[in-house]
Amino acid sequence: MQREQWGTRAGFVLAAVGSAVGLGNIWRFPYVAYENGGGAFFIPYLFALLTAGIPFMILEFTLGHKYRTGAPGILKALNARFEWLGWFQVMISAIIAFYYVVVIAWAISYVYFAVGQSWGDDSNAFFFGEFLGLTGDNAPSSLGGLQWHLLPPLCLAWAATYYATYRGVRGGIEKINKVLMPLLFLLVLVLIGRIVFLPGAVDGINWMFAPDFSKIWDLKVWSAAYGQIFFTLSVGFAIMLSYASYLPEKSDINNNASITALMDCGFSMVAGILIFGALGYMAMAQDKALTEVVSSGVGLAFVTLPAAINLLPAPGIMGPLFFLALVFAGISSHISIAEAVTAGLMAKLGWSRARTSTVFCGVGFVVSLLFITQGGLLLLDLVDYFINNIALLGSCLLELLLVGWLCRLEDFRDHANRLSDFAVGAWWLICIKYVSIAMLVVILFGNILGAFRENYGGYSNSEILFMGWGMIAVMLVVAITINTTSKKEASV
């Protein structure tokens, strides 16, 4: 059966950008930049983009285009002993899909809440108490009851992903991203166009971009820059490998990879202007220092910014537009995550796309119910920490070690160059074999050391052991078991 293909180059690029541009661009990047030297942070950040982000993206586009299958099949083609790494990446995507969709459901709910600012004057109490029903126990294992009001938006979020993966590459994923991505950029630009003219907004933006060059010499700042690049570009966990496997025979790999990475990082900077403009206005309106109102993560999106929206002119318009932008960014990423799993399962099981997407989205919906319980936020927090800071970075490192040191890297460079308008040379080989690997070793070692030194989030030893390290151990065992089974089947 002939493999599906993207209908147009623009469709592929928009889908790849849609995968890379997610919630983290809006609520993580601005704070990371602010915390790590402001304008000075862009020096290591752009260096990381050129020496890790774009080279890694070119590598994954090349592998996907060359082998034309999901991540497990690609890793198996590189070295039969490493098929397990492909399945480990697929499981990373599956677990992220299970909890990421819940944050999209929150954003969908907040589109409605924002019309009349239903969160009231205390957005913190509303989000953690009334909306999530978070109990006083700091225990991810204490799930409590289901929050039934989160079920409809959760169904909507899964329905969008199911439609895209069921309809396929050209009829679902490409069509949806051709609508979502332009709308997302338009929404953010409209919001910026209004917010930058508010009093204090420019001061907030200056806070983010004001350079502190003393931090340039801090290794932690460079680690943060590389960590943000690996975090934001959707590399290392099956997505870009799967997307690139649907590229037509004649595809400009180097250009496509560079455009995707640059558009993602450009959106992050634009999102930073939006967020810090709003925070600057909020700080002035409340007569506070910006340091007193700035935050990151879900607290920024669902606590701090709702409080800022209360102060905005026409909050019933600005608020829904902001959360609609979050929904669009989330759904485009979630579709790509689900497709990474779908592609791997289709290749392994020989199932049709319709059957595979139905089974995965059905199972995913059931599992995601765990995260809309009263303790769901804590469970999400713990799982997300270990998946993103340990499993994902470990997967990136192993993939680069395999391709850079156990394969002939020059062959992949030649494959990409033969199809591309501009060629990459020795710098690309150096970035893959040395720079990216060295930075990943530093970041991953620091994360593992930090996880052992101090229990993340103050969670108990047993929860860290079983729900954090235990989850990664189970993923490894399952991946290696599948690899072993495949070897036995091949030898029969």
Side-chain angles (χ1 to χ4, degrees), residues 225-288:
Y226 277 88
Q228 177 64 23
I229 287 293
F230 289 122
F231 176 85
T232 190
L233 289 181
S234 296
V235 289
F237 62 114
I239 293 175
M240 292 306 175
L241 294 175
S242 301
Y243 268 18
S245 72
Y246 302 119
L247 280 168
E249 191 64 40
K250 293 182 179 179
S251 298
D252 190 337
I253 290 173
N254 296 343
N255 251 331
N256 289 342
S258 301
I259 291 168
T260 302
L262 288 168
M263 285 183 71
D264 172 70
C265 294
F267 180 84
S268 293
M269 294 184 190
V270 171
I273 294 171
L274 169 64
I275 297 301
F276 271 79
L279 293 178
Y281 171 68
M282 179 181 178
M284 177 168 281
Q286 296 182 340
D287 196 24
K288 292 181 178 178

Side-chain angles (χ1 to χ4, degrees), residues 88 223-224 226-227 230 385-399 401 436-452 469 472:
F88 186 70
S223 292
Y226 277 88
F230 289 122
Y385 176 80
F386 275 89
I387 285 292
N388 275 297
N389 291 280
I390 309 294
L392 176 54
L393 292 179
S395 167
C396 288
L397 177 60
L398 289 171
E399 183 182 323
L401 286 170
S436 294
I437 288 175
M439 291 309 302
L440 275 168
V441 167
V442 170
I443 297 166
L444 184 60
F445 179 75
N447 288 350
I448 292 172
L449 205 62
F452 277 114
W469 296 111
I472 294 175

